[in-house]
Amino acid sequence: MVGPRSATWLILLVLFLGPTAQASQPGFATLKNSLPPGAAIERVEQLDGDYHIYLSLPQPTIDQLAAELLAQALATSMVDTPAGTACLVFGRGPGVEDFRPLGKLIDPGEPVPQKPFEAHGSKSLPHPGQPQPAGFLSGRSIFLSAGHGWYLHETYGWITQRGNTNGLVEDFLTAETVDQYLARYLYNAGAGVYTTRERDMQTRELVIDNNDEACTLSGPWQCSTTTPGYYGADYCYTPVSLVETALAQFTAELPADGYYHVGLWYNGGANRSTDARVVVGHSGGQTVHTIDQQRDGFTFNNLGRYYFIADDPPERRSVVVSNMGTDAGRYVIADAVRFGGGMGSESQKPRWEESGLYYAPLMGCPECASNTVTSMPRYAKWENEAWEDSIYVSFHTNAPDPGRGTSVFAYSSAGWDGPFDGVAGSLELRAAIHDELIADLRAGWDADWTDRGEHTNWYGEINPNYNDEMPGALLELAFHDTPADAAALKEPAFRELAARSIYQAIVRYFAVRDGIEPHFLPQPPTDLSVTYEGNQDVYIHWQEPSSDNGGIYGDPAEFYTVYVSENGRGFSVAAQVPDEYTSIEPTVDGPLYLRVSATNAGGESFPSETLAVYPGDDHRQVLLVSGFDRLDSGQNVIEPYYGGGEIERMYLEHMNSFDYTIAYAQALAQAGVGFDCASHNALIDGRVDLNHYDALFWILGEESTQDETLSLVEQQLFSRYGPSLFISGSEIGWDLAANGSQADQTFYADYLGASYQADDAGTGSVIDPSFGIFAGIGPFEFDYDQAAIYAADWPDAIDPLPGSDVALLYRDGDHAAAITHEADTYRVVYLAFPLETVLSADVRAELIAAAVDYLVPDLDDDDDASDDDDDDMIDDDDDTGEDDDDDNECCG
């Protein structure tokens, strides 16, 4: 029978017209006409509260893209229907009497080709290689789809599949979340992580083939075309040897310093080495991988992400394939190496933003490229090998406004909430992801977060026509075009919470399936401090991370890994210890950079922030304080959108990379000043004695009102110890003077000697006033809106109070960009913009050197010829009088 008029009209309206939220924006795939040309609705019935729609089709089958439009129209129509209401769609072609579930009529397309030499046998644990940690997910393969991306439209050219809504584009935000959070969580848990779009956000790329000059072969290599699936013109092979007798070195001439993923291409075979030794040389040293070349071949096999310095020696920007191994009688392959993600050759868009339609051919399967929906599952099926224990997770956000909340889908050929007929295990995977997301978002974000339920639909990404080799689930995290949900999606903390929840759901899925206890990654250690003691050893302390045994925070740490670096970006392991305190022997002459991660049976946490330490070469000793913890939507990078308006991008390393101690450490070391380093929380906890230091260099970056620039406890530390202070940050005045308490305002005026004038100076151009401690250094630029380092786009405009002096001026304004302040027992240098955003490293060094000389004058430069030397800031007395009140002698 025909259902209620209102509901019937709702469904008919949506099916005929489709959602129109984006229809006014040219160039977007809209649902203006959801029905395929020539299709018609024969009737609509309501049975037991569910809707059944019967379509007549002009052809025996329907294309997946046309079915996708119908699936989205169904989802839209069901937004406001009672929970549990199904909408099933049936169709039939010309001359056919029986209706079938519409999904059964979807054209499966060309079969997915089998990957050359798919290794068969048991699902044994493959060699994990390092630096990837072993963890609970070791031996499992996770295929991640970040949803939509740039694609070539026949009419509009290169467009995104979703438009600009509330300053967000789904095509970008899903990839940002998968690449920066979800893929890394899974990798740190030991999983084999395969993305169906490019994972490397590095837009530079270099591919070195075995025939290129950048590849040097030594030893008994031979080249061949016998086994297909090689990269370029041929591949090289050599027998495995217990003693190394052959090397293939791929040396990268990289266009710029930066982080690059590294991929290794080889063609597999039954006679390949199962423990090939591959060494990645990077700025942190060497990382050794053990590669089973019978598996994961015929594509760029991910070896991890490393920091490379363009002018480093060749051994620190290379990949070396060795023939040393234990498989006598087998062969090692050297074919090609890839650095970076690059730009699309046709689109000239960052490749990581492109649709998976273009990624599959790059990775070795041109036959997998079908359309913007089915290419990703087809590629996953091709990439998945017989030995792998795999799942497929597709990450999306939802529409239309005013919908809210999270839903997760499995496959049904019948439509919305139709009977499940996807790959076995998908319902369990769907439930694990849904339950974990709802629980964690309510516990860690919004107690009233909307649960939109678990559903089925015929979405192409989880259609077994294209990938029948693994369970699959598609999640819609939130509604990008509903303002309230969009506000959450803009927040890095929300996206990280969601990504960690999805990772934990995957752990629970495998644990329940296999009947074993789950183990979850710990959180990173916090509140670090590092000190040189006796110019011999470096001591490092940290705080044990929070844990809640599988809740939001994960399991407790079992031990810790201390990493060291000579440049702050390329790291190597220095120690693995069970406690929150250790000492290590420094290995470099310059600043030593350190960070710490926590490890347990689940895997390895993300690393802590980066701190630095340096003994110095004169008497001056300062403490470098890391106080920039902020990471929120106010730091999102603003970009113009080709379809109109501006959009917010989450480029984490251009918002807060938590390593700004590097800029200070380089400049302080260049000035010859020794320093220890600590998180500001370590000072609050009382674990650092400020009496040991001549001055503090305090990094506040864009720390602002929500995170507090300087808490009352920190202000009391200054008042108690009275150290000279270098402080830099763009929001100090906004927080303390404009929005602070009376105590904050008094501290700002009395201790810093500053008068707050405006929240935004409106420029990143700075000049010196031709007098004061920075005379002769300007003019220079800091990163005001480029996001080259990070955009300090709201620098305070300040003026000096009596007793203070202008040290720097904004070029386009009447106010100071920096002041100096001198009190009886201390001095202050206050920069109203973040020092680390100064674009020139040479200028940063000059600013730090001048500040050090003002705050802590060098004894070697002081002739002490006059008792009234105001620059000494030490005891001006020659100690010839017995009534010297400033001696502070202890024994009277």
Side-chain angles (χ1 to χ4, degrees), residues 136-193:
F136 182 84
L137 293 178
S138 294
R140 279 94 176 193
S141 296
I142 316 299
F143 288 84
L144 296 177
S145 168
H148 311 287
W150 292 105
Y151 79 107
L152 182 60
H153 189 279
E154 60 184 9
T155 301
Y156 300 110
W158 287 95
I159 64 171
T160 56
Q161 293 170 72
R162 298 291 183 265
N164 176 5
T165 55
N166 298 300
L168 291 173
V169 174
E170 180 187 355
D171 305 48
F172 301 151
L173 78 88
T174 52
E176 291 161 3
T177 307
V178 166
D179 295 341
Q180 296 178 108
Y181 283 130
L182 181 54
R184 297 182 189 182
Y185 271 127
L186 294 165
Y187 183 85
N188 279 22
V193 181

Side-chain angles (χ1 to χ4, degrees), residues 55 57 62 67 70 89-92 100-106 413-415 458:
L55 304 179
L57 303 175
I62 182 173
L70 282 168
V89 182
F90 304 89
R92 63 182 179 184
R100 299 181 63 196
L102 192 67
K104 296 290 187 182
L105 302 178
I106 295 174
S413 61
W458 61 61

Side-chain angles (χ1 to χ4, degrees), residues 170-327:
E170 180 187 355
D171 305 48
F172 301 151
L173 78 88
T174 52
E176 291 161 3
T177 307
V178 166
D179 295 341
Q180 296 178 108
Y181 283 130
L182 181 54
R184 297 182 189 182
Y185 271 127
L186 294 165
Y187 183 85
N188 279 22
V193 181
Y194 303 86
T195 58
T196 61
R197 290 170 62 181
E198 174 62 58
R199 80 179 75 194
D200 194 349
M201 297 171 72
Q202 170 62 258
T203 56
R204 302 176 181 92
E205 179 187 30
L206 175 66
V207 177
I208 305 173
D209 184 56
N210 62 280
N211 291 304
D212 294 338
E213 290 185 4
C215 178
T216 304
L217 303 176
S218 59
W221 291 95
Q222 299 181 63
C223 294
S224 174
T225 59
T226 301
T227 303
Y230 47 83
Y231 188 92
D234 57 15
Y235 62 97
C236 296
Y237 66 93
T238 191
V240 173
S241 172
L242 291 174
V243 179
E244 188 173 78
T245 61
L247 294 173
Q249 179 165 323
F250 299 81
T251 304
E253 295 290 340
L254 295 169
D257 301 352
Y259 291 99
Y260 295 77
H261 275 275
V262 176
L264 180 72
W265 188 297
Y266 50 87
N267 51 2
N271 64 348
R272 302 306 194 234
S273 169
T274 61
D275 61 352
R277 188 174 191 269
V278 178
V279 180
V280 180
H282 51 92
S283 68
Q286 292 187 332
T287 299
V288 179
H289 293 260
T290 303
I291 304 295
D292 184 345
Q293 290 195 328
Q294 294 189 17
R295 295 173 167 176
D296 279 334
F298 310 97
T299 188
F300 284 112
N301 187 10
N302 180 51
L303 299 182
R305 182 173 181 261
Y306 305 90
Y307 193 84
F308 295 95
I309 296 175
D311 59 0
D312 258 355
E315 62 271 17
R316 288 198 166 195
R317 44 183 174 85
S318 64
V319 174
V320 178
V321 180
S322 167
N323 73 331
M324 185 169 66
T326 61
D327 290 339

Side-chain angles (χ1 to χ4, degrees), residues 316-495:
R316 288 198 166 195
R317 44 183 174 85
S318 64
V319 174
V320 178
V321 180
S322 167
N323 73 331
M324 185 169 66
T326 61
D327 290 339
R330 289 182 171 147
Y331 295 89
V332 172
I333 305 300
D335 194 348
V337 172
R338 178 179 182 234
F339 297 82
M343 302 286 285
S345 57
E346 295 184 21
S347 70
Q348 290 304 300
K349 309 294 185 185
R351 189 172 277 127
W352 68 274
E353 294 181 354
E354 285 187 334
S355 165
L357 172 64
Y358 310 103
Y359 183 65
L362 176 77
M363 295 299 284
C365 187
E367 302 89 348
C368 293
S370 48
N371 56 53
T372 57
V373 172
T374 62
S375 296
M376 289 84 79
R378 287 169 60 85
Y379 167 71
K381 176 181 172 69
W382 175 83
E383 177 65 70
N384 185 57
E385 298 182 357
W387 58 270
E388 294 188 83
D389 185 4
S390 307
I391 61 171
Y392 183 95
V393 176
S394 180
F395 188 109
H396 290 260
T397 56
N398 212 342
D401 181 27
R404 294 204 63 188
T406 299
S407 52
V408 187
F409 292 81
Y411 185 77
S412 171
S413 61
W416 183 270
D417 282 352
F420 168 75
D421 52 1
V423 178
S426 298
L427 291 178
E428 292 79 3
L429 178 61
R430 179 189 70 175
I433 294 174
H434 171 267
D435 293 347
E436 191 82 17
L437 273 172
I438 296 302
D440 289 355
L441 292 177
R442 286 178 172 175
W445 191 260
D446 179 355
D448 296 321
W449 186 259
T450 303
D451 177 1
R452 301 205 66 85
E454 301 175 49
H455 300 285
T456 54
N457 212 337
W458 61 61
Y459 292 127
E461 282 203 74
I462 48 178
N463 187 333
N465 282 341
Y466 314 115
N467 180 10
D468 59 357
E469 294 186 358
M470 63 193 76
L474 183 150
L475 68 100
E476 301 276 11
L477 178 60
F479 282 69
H480 53 259
D481 64 346
T482 300
D485 274 18
L489 286 168
K490 291 178 181 180
E491 292 295 341
F494 178 83
R495 295 201 212 174

Side-chain angles (χ1 to χ4, degrees), residues 806-820:
V806 172
L808 292 169
L809 291 168
Y810 293 110
R811 178 182 294 177
D812 299 333
D814 298 327
H815 299 297
I819 63 169
T820 56

